[in-house]
Amino acid sequence: QVQLVESGGGLMQPGGSLRLSCEASKNIFSIYLMGWYRQAPGNQRELVATIFNTGSTNYAASVKGRFTISRDNAKNAMSLQMNSLKPEDTAVYYCNAHEPPRDYWGQGTQVTVSS
């Protein structure tokens, strides 16, 4: 079992940057897949980016080229660098750890992009 805690959300103007962090309660080296998801009001939760324990990454088309996911196994942490933010990026962002057959989620952190 693993507990996840997100941080780094907040209010940012369009075009700005934010960095989200996710700290895990145990060593993440063996966690097969980790990722960031987001949910805007009235919408379903959607994938933002994922990273395998090999370092391979995957991004939603809407964030590709603007967001970068990374993981630091030594610090048991994962990050999401978000650049060129847009109002449509406004959502609650959730950290996910996938250890088959279970999924673990953080409590979420709010990101608001508005002028």
Side-chain angles (χ1 to χ4, degrees):
Q1 194 169 4
V2 57
Q3 283 79 47
L4 304 169
V5 178
E6 302 98 336
S7 62
L11 173 65
M12 179 55 64
Q13 292 185 341
S17 298
L18 282 174
R19 186 177 181 86
L20 304 183
S21 295
C22 173
E23 291 193 24
S25 60
K26 72 168 195 177
N27 192 300
I28 66 170
F29 179 79
S30 63
I31 296 179
Y32 173 65
L33 179 66
M34 298 188 72
W36 290 95
Y37 291 73
R38 67 187 182 187
Q39 187 168 17
N43 291 355
Q44 291 188 337
R45 192 172 296 188
E46 64 177 7
L47 180 148
V48 176
T50 57
I51 183 166
F52 288 88
N53 56 1
T54 59
S56 178
T57 59
N58 181 54
Y59 295 92
S62 59
V63 307
K64 201 167 187 178
R66 300 188 297 121
F67 291 9
T68 302
I69 189 172
S70 61
R71 59 194 284 174
D72 187 335
N73 292 334
K75 295 183 179 180
N76 299 332
M78 178 180 65
S79 297
L80 184 70
Q81 178 66 41
M82 305 186 295
N83 298 328
S84 302
L85 284 163
K86 303 176 180 180
E88 50 263 44
D89 294 320
T90 295
V92 178
Y93 283 70
Y94 297 91
C95 173
N96 169 268
H98 180 60
E99 287 193 301
R102 294 195 62 179
D103 275 290
Y104 300 93
W105 296 92
Q107 81 288 351
T109 185
Q110 176 70 46
V111 172
T112 302
V113 184
S114 175
S115 55

